């Protein structure tokens, strides 16, 4: 990085102090449209295993870079910045001093960054920087990188191998002539870039799961018939065995983490049940034991510690964000209980921990909070404020979000969410925002910049998880197959009529707005119900 910019970065980084960020919020004037659509200033924070450093991914002048700070003083240790159109993507600490930064680039055909599949390794002090994996591996001058014309492959970090400071285990995805990706697991030297394949996946485009020793034991993916196929092997040298396959929309068993040193593994399963639950699978006997399942909604995510692969909780959304914490997963369970107590109804993510588990970076996202990072000290049970992702959006000025129960015309229960303007008369103008997809995604109660923008200007915003949405069981998802203009459209209409009947919406002032499939839904509903909407927008 050119020397003349160092002082500029130092001044900008002063914003990471809690006092500066909070004072800045207090002096903000009226919010503009640009405030809501502006990308997050800070996107990720990772604590090094020793606790000495914090790696912060941030946006400056439209480019994402990584700054390494000394944890104790927040002084700058180094800055990793690539030459546009390249920018930082994701960050991982490979050991106490070595940082891995994946690279993104803005291809000429789109206006947003996409991962190039490359990994850049650099020491915390900025020395020994080089691309250790990918199309430009070996390039030691990141500021001179040009645009990638040939994306030769992708990667996913499968295990950080905490007992091996020189290597990480990655899944590599090499593009074949047919356009799919051949998957292997390989040991990557984080200093030299030397790569050694240790396992070849039994199917293409596979997700690989390793045990606590870093041995790949599961492979899961989809075949051309859109079946989910699961493979397993008992040891790293054993042959792969096909365990099962599941047709799309009928449910699946998905391994998420090994439970302990024995042959038990936590899996998510929704075969033959109304919703997806967490189970313990005994690999020796094949028996499944239910750990947790909500009868109304699916488990949304299993939370797994990034550096040692320990599963410590599952998240689900029965109207609000809720967790089932695994009691034996200490000290993670204790950290989650402490965070839940301090930040109720929020999404909580332990982004990284020290090796001795005494400190952790905790990311908190709520209905009115776009994201705040804290440094948690397990010894004092204290959450020290670090920084906010969008410091210009004061949560006190944002709108509340509440879950609502909606009954469709055929009696089906639907979950919706209302983002309501502060101190606005009711009934008022309503904007219904059908989500995209329609399958594999859903709406929830957490911060949504578009909904908050509209609420700030006096509009109530309604989102609804129509049939076909993710999160309510395989049957609910499958009910939307072939019904994009049928049942799905009816569910959206029924949600609007519910809002009118409940006194939330003025029937003379209703608009519908959506992006992607939501755009189709907006157009279709306006055609089907021309008297219901004053405006329809599809993006």
């Amino acid at each position: 990085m050119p020397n003349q910019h160092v002082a500029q970065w130092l001044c900008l980084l002063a914003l990471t102090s809690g006092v500066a960020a909070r004072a800045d919020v207090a002096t903000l004037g009226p919010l503009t449209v640009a405030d809501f659509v502006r990308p997050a200033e800070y996107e990720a924070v990772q604590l090094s295993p020793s606790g000495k450093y914090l790696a912060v991914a941030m946006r400056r002048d439209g480019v994402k870079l990584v700054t390494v700070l000394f944890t104790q003083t927040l002084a700058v240790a180094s800055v990793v910045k690539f030459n546009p159109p390249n920018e930082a993507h994701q960050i991982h600490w490979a050991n106490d001093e070595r940082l891995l930064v994946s690279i993104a680039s803005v291809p000429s055909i789109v206006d947003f960054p996409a991962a190039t599949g490359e990994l850049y390794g650099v020491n915390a002090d900025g020395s020994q920087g080089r691309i250790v994996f990918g199309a430009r591996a070996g390039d030691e001058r990141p500021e001179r990188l040009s645009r990638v014309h040939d994306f030769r492959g992708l990667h996913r970090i499968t295990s950080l191998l905490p007992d091996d400071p020189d290597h990480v285990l990655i899944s590599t995805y090499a593009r074949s002539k047919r356009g799919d990706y051949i998957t292997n697991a390989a040991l990557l030297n984080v200093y030299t870039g030397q790569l050694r394949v240790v396992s070849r996946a039994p199917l293409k485009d596979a997700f690989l799961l390793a045990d606590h020793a870093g041995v790949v034991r599961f492979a899961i993916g989809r075949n051309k018939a859109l079946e989910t196929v699961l493979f397993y092997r008992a040891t790293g040298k054993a042959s792969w065995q096909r365990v099962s396959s599941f047709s799309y929309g009928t449910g699946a068993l998905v391994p998420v983490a090994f439970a302990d040193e024995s042959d038990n593994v936590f899996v998510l399963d929704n075969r033959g049940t109304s919703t997806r639950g967490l189970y313990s699978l005994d690999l020796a006997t094949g028996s499944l034991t239910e750990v947790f399942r909500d009868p109304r909604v699916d488990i949304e995510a299993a939370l797994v510690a990034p550096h040692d692969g320990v599963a410590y909780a599952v998240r689900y959304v029965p109207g609000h964000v809720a967790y089932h914490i695994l009691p034996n997963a200490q000290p993670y369970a204790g950290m989650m209980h402490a965070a839940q107590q301090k930040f109720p109804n929020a999404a909580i993510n332990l982004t990284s921990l020290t090796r001795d588990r005494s400190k952790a970076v905790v990311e908190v996202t709520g209905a009115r909070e776009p994201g705040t990072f804290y440094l948690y000290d397990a010894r004092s049970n204290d959450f020290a404020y670090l920084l906010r992702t969008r410091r210009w959006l004061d949560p006190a000025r944002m709108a509340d979000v509440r879950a609502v129960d909606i009954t469709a015309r055929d009696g089906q229960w639907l979950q919706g969410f209302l983002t309501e303007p502060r101190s606005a008369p009711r009934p008022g103008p309503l904007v219904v925002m059908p989500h995209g997809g329609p399958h594999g995604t859903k709406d929830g109660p957490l911060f949504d910049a578009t909904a908050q923008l509209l609420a700030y200007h006096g509009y109530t915003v309604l989102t609804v998880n129509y049939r076909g949405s993710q999160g309510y069981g395989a049957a609910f998802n499958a009910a939307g197959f072939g019904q994009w203009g049928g049942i799905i459209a009816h569910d959206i209409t029924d949600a609007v009529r519910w809002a009118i009947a409940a006194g939330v919406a003025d029937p003379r002032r209703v608009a519908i707005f959506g992006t992607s499939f939501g755009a189709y839904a907006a157009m279709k509903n306006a055609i089907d119900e021309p008297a219901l909407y004053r405006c329809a927008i599809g993006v």
Side-chain angles (χ1 to χ4, degrees), residues 228-356:
T228 299
V229 186
L230 178 64
F231 287 85
Y232 168 74
R233 61 182 182 177
T235 68
K237 295 182 179 180
S239 299
W240 287 104
Q241 303 295 322
R242 180 167 173 156
V243 177
S244 54
S245 61
F246 323 99
S247 297
Y248 180 67
T250 63
L253 182 147
V254 179
V256 293
F258 279 81
D260 47 42
E261 300 302 327
S262 67
D263 272 348
N264 286 343
V265 64
F266 287 117
V267 300
L268 296 176
D269 191 9
N270 61 346
R271 303 167 302 160
T273 59
S274 58
T275 54
R276 181 169 61 184
L278 180 71
Y279 297 82
S280 176
L281 171 62
D282 187 326
L283 295 172
T285 65
S287 62
L288 277 173
T289 303
E290 183 179 299
V291 177
F292 175 81
R293 188 178 71 86
D294 185 90
R296 207 175 195 190
V297 299
D298 289 336
I299 287 175
E300 181 178 83
L303 306 187
V304 180
H307 56 289
D308 61 10
V310 173
Y312 57 87
V314 293
R315 182 172 63 235
Y316 62 111
V317 186
H320 62 282
V321 180
Y323 293 89
H324 174 78
I325 300 170
L326 303 178
N328 295 328
Q330 296 295 350
Y332 309 105
M335 292 179 176
M336 284 296 294
H337 282 299
Q340 270 196 302
Q341 194 168 29
K342 187 170 181 64
F343 310 107
N345 301 325
I348 298 163
N349 180 27
L350 307 180
T351 75
S352 49
L353 296 93
T354 55
R355 186 182 299 102
D356 63 3

Side-chain angles (χ1 to χ4, degrees), residues 22 25 32 66 76 115 135 169 173 228 263 289 310 359 377 384 512 522 526 535:
R22 284 168 175 160
V25 166
T32 66
V66 177
V76 178
L169 181 70
Y173 299 88
T228 299
D263 272 348
T289 303
V310 173
K359 290 183 173 63
D377 190 321
I512 185 167
C535 175

Side-chain angles (χ1 to χ4, degrees), residues 20-71:
R22 284 168 175 160
D24 189 61
V25 166
T27 58
L28 287 175
L31 294 171
T32 66
V33 172
D35 290 325
F36 288 93
V37 302
R38 179 178 166 190
E41 185 175 24
Y42 302 105
E43 297 186 14
V45 179
Q46 291 283 320
L47 182 63
S48 67
S50 66
K52 183 178 179 179
Y53 303 106
L54 288 167
V56 182
M58 61 180 70
R59 287 208 165 268
R60 288 289 182 267
D61 299 326
V63 176
K64 186 174 175 181
L65 54 90
V66 177
T67 300
V68 179
L69 308 174
F70 290 101
T71 305

